[in-house]
Amino acid sequence: MEIKCLKCGRSGDFAMMKTILPEDRDKLYSMDVFNYTCPDCGHKTNIEYDTAYFDEEKKQIVIFGGSSLIDQITDDYLVRIVQTESQLAEKVHILEKERDDRIIELMKIIITAGLMGDSKEPDFAVVYDVYEDNEQFAVVKESGELFILKWNEELYQSVLENYQDKLPPMRNRDDLIVDGAWAVQMMSM
């Protein structure tokens, strides 16, 4: 696909990755799969497009954008749909670490509630992340300020124990979108 640089006006080629494979994860984590870098001036432009992370060995697919792919996927695959590029990277991190993404989303609600104090609305987002092979949660404030919470295995196991009987199997097609709204709904049951 030919892209015209927004800074210098020169054109260059951008290769969209319709399928992101496990060997391309680093490009996803750095967001390079969505960034066009002008070969002349070096300016980066975000290019948002439909794609899917596909791990044939683990039978996992995470779809960003075009959910029409679902009908083509066999029932033995774990399927998730995400709505942003960062959710795609986060979900792949979770699956790479062989964690239950539903438990991670429930943990994020618990962490958010603990950090809010007396506030009615959070002014931050909690994001699961992996840095140098260590799991953690990044807390990103609206101001751009960032702080890191170390991974809490006890909390993960506690939430897993409390919810495992309430959750259907992970490969259930009823839970295609597992995010904060899903977690809030699950906690209200």
Side-chain angles (χ1 to χ4, degrees):
M1 160 191 239
E2 189 171 273
I3 303 289
K4 187 173 184 177
C5 178
L6 297 175
K7 186 174 181 185
C8 72
R10 295 199 175 102
S11 294
D13 290 327
F14 177 73
M16 291 192 299
M17 296 178 74
K18 288 294 187 181
T19 303
I20 302 168
L21 300 173
E23 56 266 23
D24 299 318
R25 280 191 303 249
D26 288 341
K27 292 177 188 172
L28 172 62
Y29 298 151
S30 68
M31 292 294 151
D32 284 346
V33 297
F34 298 108
N35 287 324
Y36 165 73
T37 303
C38 177
D40 291 319
C41 72
H43 180 75
K44 285 191 176 194
T45 303
N46 180 268
I47 310 293
E48 190 173 289
Y49 59 92
D50 293 353
T51 188
Y53 173 78
F54 181 71
D55 188 330
E56 187 173 16
E57 183 180 314
K58 293 182 179 178
K59 295 198 176 291
Q60 299 170 337
I61 187 164
V62 183
I63 301 167
F64 172 58
S67 58
S68 61
L69 291 170
I70 294 169
D71 297 333
Q72 303 166 26
I73 302 166
T74 59
D75 287 341
D76 56 338
Y77 271 78
L78 170 67
V79 180
R80 293 294 188 258
I81 298 172
V82 295
Q83 297 164 353
T84 67
E85 297 163 1
S86 59
Q87 286 175 346
L88 176 62
E90 179 187 44
K91 199 66 73 176
V92 172
H93 267 307
I94 293 167
L95 296 175
E96 178 185 358
K97 286 296 189 178
E98 298 182 358
R99 296 292 187 177
D100 186 326
D101 61 325
R102 302 165 306 172
I103 301 303
I104 298 294
E105 292 298 335
L106 291 165
M107 287 176 71
K108 288 166 51 177
I109 296 296
I110 293 167
I111 291 167
T112 298
L115 293 174
M116 279 180 49
D118 294 332
S119 301
K120 292 189 184 219
E121 292 293 321
D123 65 343
F124 58 88
V126 178
V127 180
Y128 174 88
D129 191 30
V130 177
Y131 180 72
E132 294 183 352
D133 208 37
N134 296 310
E135 295 173 278
Q136 60 190 18
F137 286 99
V139 179
V140 185
K141 297 189 97 179
E142 287 177 357
S143 65
E145 186 181 357
L146 170 77
F147 64 96
I148 302 300
L149 298 175
K150 289 185 178 181
W151 178 252
N152 185 332
E153 185 65 28
E154 286 181 31
L155 178 59
Y156 181 85
Q157 293 301 326
S158 174
V159 174
L160 179 61
E161 186 177 308
N162 287 331
Y163 283 91
Q164 64 187 355
D165 292 338
K166 299 172 187 164
L167 297 173
M170 278 189 68
R171 296 185 191 285
N172 179 348
R173 294 292 167 96
D174 292 336
D175 292 331
L176 293 175
I177 300 174
V178 176
D179 58 10
W182 175 92
V184 167
Q185 182 180 10
M186 179 57 64
M187 287 185 142
S188 67
M189 296 175 119

